[in-house]
Amino acid sequence: MSTSFRLGKIYGIPFYLHYTWFLILALVVISLSQEYFPALYPGWPSHLHWVTGAVASLLFFASLLAHELSHSLVSLHYGIPVRSITLFIFGGVARISREAGSPKEELLMAAAGPLTSLFLGGLFLGMEYIISSLNEPLAALFSWLMQVNFLLAAFNLIPGFPLDGGRIFRALIWKLTGRYKTATNIAAMLGQLISWMFILGGVFLALFTLNWLSGLWLVFIGFFLLHAVSLSKRHSLLQERLAGITAENVMNRHIVSVPFQLTLGDLIRDYMDVIRAGPLLVVDGERIRGIITASNIRSVPERLWAITPVIAVMTPIARFSAAYPQEDILSLWEKLEASRLKVLPVLHEGRVLGLITREDLRRFLG
Ligand SMILES: [Zn+2]
């Protein structure tokens, strides 16, 4: 999440803006205020071009948000938690914690976004119709929003997995074959084919019509999509293989606790084999103070081991990102990768049930 900026929460789902989004927002505002609106309405004063451009861009952003949110609300309806929504260049990515449980769920989850965009397009069309004879800037604003929402629906309905259209396609194949894996493979193949069509189409456009910018843009979308296809395919298949494996299955329950006053010298003398095997919990009676690992110990020169207490070198428990017992393995992996500490304590009602290290996860992830 370090490349994104947290915006807030809607329905309990954290929303992020990818930093590239600010660049895109600026480009959209500039191209609307300096090119699109001035070309159509040269008579407007310059500040009106800017205001309309800025409002249009923000409402475009709100339309994207509505699109992503609709996907997420259908997921939540089927009991699939949505971890986050990130908006970036081509729209957004809603990160759900598992794949749909049935073709019907997948179909409705995928279709919700384009349907919302179509609905918004229709809404702005109606508003433009009503306001057209009354207020030109508002009519121009609604007209542009109508077009982008219809475009958004059309782009997302391209049947290249992992676009919404590709997910709808996968749901249909899944329904037909009854096999999720086969459906994912076929949808990914079509996704790759469509990506290459974008790339070749862009190359042809650039070479034969000398329309370099549009050509490059298509090539860029093609490569972006190609990358997204392989990533989504891997993620889908991994998620299916790992379905139902949670922190409880993965964690190491045999936690050894040591008192916080113990010196490193005593720790090494008494717990050498335990430290080699994994992290230890540092406690103060019932209270958990932190976690100590072999690398913590190595950070202290050997001559100081006899006088250094464990508490001085351990990592305080509050600095770890915690896992909960039912957390799925992919989420654990992401948390561990995001955390610099490489140990995840599994917490339940203030107690540490187990510890998870990268080695524990690797046994399952293969
Ligand atoms: Zn979508």
Side-chain angles (χ1 to χ4, degrees):
M1 281 306 159
S2 57
T3 51
S4 309
F5 160 84
R6 189 173 161 147
L7 200 66
K9 260 186 176 182
I10 305 181
Y11 292 99
I13 306 163
F15 262 90
Y16 294 88
L17 278 185
H18 196 263
Y19 287 125
T20 53
W21 208 88
F22 292 98
L23 182 72
I24 297 303
L25 181 70
L27 285 177
V28 174
V29 173
I30 290 169
S31 73
L32 281 177
S33 328
Q34 292 297 292
E35 283 171 30
Y36 181 81
F37 288 124
L40 284 177
Y41 308 96
W44 292 4
S46 156
H47 73 268
L48 192 56
H49 289 142
W50 280 106
V51 171
T52 316
V55 174
S57 307
L58 288 176
L59 286 175
F60 167 51
F61 163 71
S63 301
L64 279 176
L65 208 67
H67 177 112
E68 289 312 318
L69 198 60
S70 69
H71 285 305
S72 303
L73 290 183
V74 177
S75 317
L76 289 179
H77 173 76
Y78 286 116
I80 302 174
V82 180
R83 265 189 244 143
S84 66
I85 296 179
T86 306
L87 292 179
F88 65 113
I89 305 184
F90 295 111
V93 172
R95 299 175 60 79
I96 54 174
S97 56
R98 63 174 171 86
E99 299 278 307
S102 72
K104 188 186 156 207
E105 283 181 25
E106 161 118 276
L107 181 77
L108 293 177
M109 269 160 62
L115 284 177
T116 302
S117 296
L118 282 176
F119 171 78
L120 286 174
L123 190 71
F124 286 120
L125 178 69
M127 283 159 79
E128 186 208 351
Y129 181 75
I130 293 167
I131 211 93
S132 61
S133 58
L134 302 171
N135 185 316
E136 192 181 62
L138 269 185
L141 177 75
F142 293 148
S143 163
W144 183 76
L145 286 166
M146 177 258 301
Q147 292 172 50
V148 289
N149 272 290
F150 281 146
L151 259 176
L152 206 61
F155 179 75
N156 278 290
L157 281 173
I158 294 173
F161 180 79
L163 294 174
D164 299 335
R167 289 184 183 274
I168 293 172
F169 176 72
R170 178 172 73 172
L172 296 177
I173 304 285
W174 185 4
K175 178 79 192 164
L176 275 176
T177 60
R179 300 174 73 148
Y180 176 81
K181 206 170 158 179
T182 311
T184 301
N185 284 327
I186 293 175
M189 254 153 58
L190 185 63
Q192 278 162 346
L193 189 72
I194 286 173
S195 309
W196 282 110
M197 277 163 62
F198 268 103
I199 295 167
L200 291 178
V203 170
F204 274 105
L205 203 64
L207 288 182
F208 294 110
T209 69
L210 298 179
N211 200 340
W212 283 97
L213 200 66
S214 307
L216 272 180
W217 191 231
L218 283 185
V219 170
F220 178 62
I221 293 177
F223 277 113
F224 182 83
L225 203 57
L226 201 59
H227 177 68
V229 174
S230 67
L231 216 65
S232 306
K233 178 183 166 186
R234 217 170 51 208
H235 203 251
S236 287
L237 296 179
L238 199 62
Q239 239 170 4
E240 197 226 4
R241 185 161 70 80
L242 299 171
I245 300 178
T246 62
E248 280 184 311
N249 308 119
V250 176
M251 69 189 183
N252 182 6
R253 292 165 192 271
H254 307 289
I255 319 170
V256 176
S257 305
V258 292
F260 72 98
Q261 324 89 320
L262 196 73
T263 63
L264 291 185
D266 290 342
L267 180 74
I268 288 158
R269 194 193 60 224
D270 298 342
Y271 297 93
M272 193 63 197
D273 293 339
V274 188
I275 295 165
R276 281 216 186 99
L280 276 77
L281 216 53
V282 179
V283 293
D284 176 0
E286 287 283 286
R287 200 170 138 224
I288 301 155
R289 301 296 295 263
I291 291 173
I292 188 161
T293 62
S295 63
N296 289 142
I297 299 167
R298 276 196 296 272
S299 69
V300 177
E302 203 172 332
R303 65 193 157 79
L304 298 177
W305 283 359
I307 54 162
T308 309
V310 166
I311 193 159
V313 286
M314 70 171 199
T315 310
I317 192 76
R319 285 192 41 213
F320 289 90
S321 36
Y324 56 93
Q326 265 73 48
E327 193 159 348
D328 66 276
I329 188 167
L330 285 179
S331 162
L332 297 172
W333 177 256
E334 280 167 12
K335 260 191 193 168
L336 201 65
E337 287 295 289
S339 135
R340 282 172 40 246
L341 296 164
K342 309 305 173 203
V343 182
L344 279 183
V346 182
L347 297 185
H348 181 64
E349 291 171 352
R351 287 192 321 116
V352 176
L353 297 185
L355 295 175
I356 297 174
T357 61
R358 214 182 258 204
E359 286 65 42
D360 296 324
L361 288 181
R362 283 233 174 86
R363 279 205 306 273
F364 287 87
L365 292 166

